[in-house]
Amino acid sequence: MRRFAVRPFAVRTLRGRLAFLALVTSALWVAVLTVAFNLALEKRLHEETDGTLRTRAEAVAATVDARPDGRLAVHEPVRDAALDSGVWIFEGGRVRERPAGAPTALGEHAAQLVGRGEVFQDVEVEGPGAGAVRLYAYPVAATAGRGQAGTVVTSVGLDPYRSTADIALVGSVTLSVLLLGTIYLVTHLVVRRALRPVASMSAQATRWSEVGAAERFGAAGRPAELAAFAASLDGLLDRLAAVLRHEQQQAAELSHELRTPLARITAETEWLTSRPRSAAERATSHEAIASAAATMQQICASLLSEARTRGAAVPGRCRFPDLAHQLAGRIAADHPDAPAVTVAGDAAAVGVPAAVVERILMPLLDNARRYAGSTIGLTCTVRPGVVILHVTDDGPGVPPEFAGALFEPGRRACPEDGHDGAGLGLALARRLARAAGGDIVLDGTGPGARFAVTLPAG
């Protein structure tokens, strides 16, 4: 029997989950504060009740004198109706005065406190005047400190205090509910506003997927968390783009490699069927067709084997500055008298195979080596979706009148400069860069010659 986990409440959106988490956290704090407030209020009301009872008892006790014979003399002040309300005066165990209209049961509870010293007690009274009452017994000392001559017992109804506490409880709970509702709504709106950049990124990704744009999110102007997220997505898009370029290049190579043997097979077949041939001619044609077919089979087997054995690493990638240091070391070994190549800039993954990047950069580095005075630089700058490599030198630079023909095949600025070369290096380098999805331009912002090689990031 399959078991299904039943979740009584599930929030499906991130915005809802964050708002719900804020609501639960706030509810816990509000509950703690509400309980603490009501406990403090109850304690305060309790202290106020005890203070009222003690004050009245002391005031009544001030009107009572203990005689030497052990009896009590009660002085009746003017207008003592308020003072006598809810007050019993006991002489020993005998009642000297009792409040008018007090329930008999309440008098019995008051009598039980006689002789017990200073004590408080809460009682519940039934019948007429029923309710919760708090009693306080105040001892009246005998003369010459010979024990207790009498007791003054005061009482106060607890219903008003409890009503105040109940009203405060209901009010605090109502306020807490309103506060929690407000917190939930405000949190929901704040989280919605905070997640607006994520929704914008999602909309961008949807548009890019529909048109196949080579755009990138970029980290500029984004919060730190979203900047890291955008950088991760850009890296993923770069890797996917590198894979796609590799597959396109592989398909182009397959088409190019298969075109020649397929054309040979087609030509031999047409030649055989155009008119009768001798046995030797047919054998030669059959041998040529078999050789072309074997070539096609070998090409297909090689490409399929490469696809099966390809590892998890993204094909067609290299890293700067690793490749740059290799090229600098090669130039230093082959031309020890040339200026050293200084490698600097950002570390980056280039979405082009190392062999292709080498064939793009070497003509530029050779030119820099030929014309540099003392400095050759190879630097890297990372932009969203692209890597820009700058090859610079401190030589005389490119003449302005020759800048327009710099990348034309067979053109050289100064054929009589004593350097070898047919003027094809820069043209081939630009063709390779553009075939890889990049470009090479002459950047005239720096001294000497400065070339900017733009390649897709990997």
Side-chain angles (χ1 to χ4, degrees), residues 105-376:
L106 185 59
E108 294 175 355
H109 286 295
Q112 294 176 1
L113 301 180
V114 174
R116 295 173 55 183
E118 185 178 6
V119 62
F120 291 93
Q121 184 177 7
D122 293 337
V123 298
E124 293 287 339
V125 180
E126 299 179 356
V133 179
R134 188 167 178 81
L135 298 175
Y136 170 64
Y138 183 81
V140 178
T143 58
R146 292 179 299 177
Q148 182 175 337
T151 304
V152 176
V153 179
T154 57
S155 66
V156 65
L158 295 179
D159 290 341
Y161 295 95
R162 292 184 176 180
S163 176
T164 301
D166 293 341
I167 293 174
L169 177 61
V170 173
S172 60
V173 171
T174 304
L175 181 61
S176 299
V177 172
L178 294 177
L179 178 62
L180 291 177
T182 304
I183 289 176
Y184 181 77
L185 292 177
V186 172
T187 305
H188 202 274
L189 293 176
V190 170
V191 172
R192 180 179 182 179
R193 184 177 182 86
L195 293 180
R196 192 173 297 170
V198 179
S200 176
M201 293 174 63
S202 178
Q204 286 179 333
T206 302
R207 291 195 301 269
W208 296 344
S209 64
E210 291 176 353
V211 300
E215 302 289 342
R216 294 296 183 268
F217 293 105
R222 301 186 185 277
E225 297 81 358
L226 290 183
F229 180 57
S232 300
L233 290 179
D234 288 344
L236 177 61
L237 292 175
D238 291 338
R239 290 190 291 273
L240 291 177
V243 172
L244 181 59
R245 285 193 301 271
H246 178 79
E247 298 299 333
Q248 292 173 344
Q249 182 181 3
Q250 189 179 50
E253 292 175 354
L254 176 62
S255 175
H256 176 75
E257 294 294 334
L258 292 180
R259 187 179 295 114
T260 300
L262 183 60
R264 179 70 182 277
I265 292 175
T266 302
E268 292 292 341
T269 302
E270 291 177 353
W271 185 75
L272 283 174
T273 58
S274 61
R275 62 181 178 84
R277 303 292 177 180
S278 64
E281 291 174 338
R282 289 197 302 272
T284 302
S285 294
H286 291 163
E287 183 178 352
I289 292 173
S291 176
T295 301
M296 294 177 63
Q297 182 179 9
Q298 183 179 6
I299 293 172
C300 293
S302 299
L303 293 175
L304 291 175
S305 176
E306 187 272 338
R308 292 193 188 100
T309 57
R310 184 187 306 159
V314 178
R317 297 179 68 198
C318 63
R319 293 199 62 84
F320 187 94
D322 299 340
L323 179 61
H325 286 303
Q326 294 177 8
L327 298 180
R330 184 182 305 173
I331 292 176
D334 295 341
H335 306 279
D337 297 333
V341 178
T342 303
V343 179
D346 303 329
V350 184
V352 181
V356 177
V357 178
E358 178 181 345
R359 291 169 63 185
I360 294 173
L361 292 179
M362 282 306 296
L364 300 175
L365 292 173
D366 284 337
N367 281 350
R369 173 184 57 81
R370 291 168 181 165
Y371 298 105
S374 59
T375 302
I376 300 175

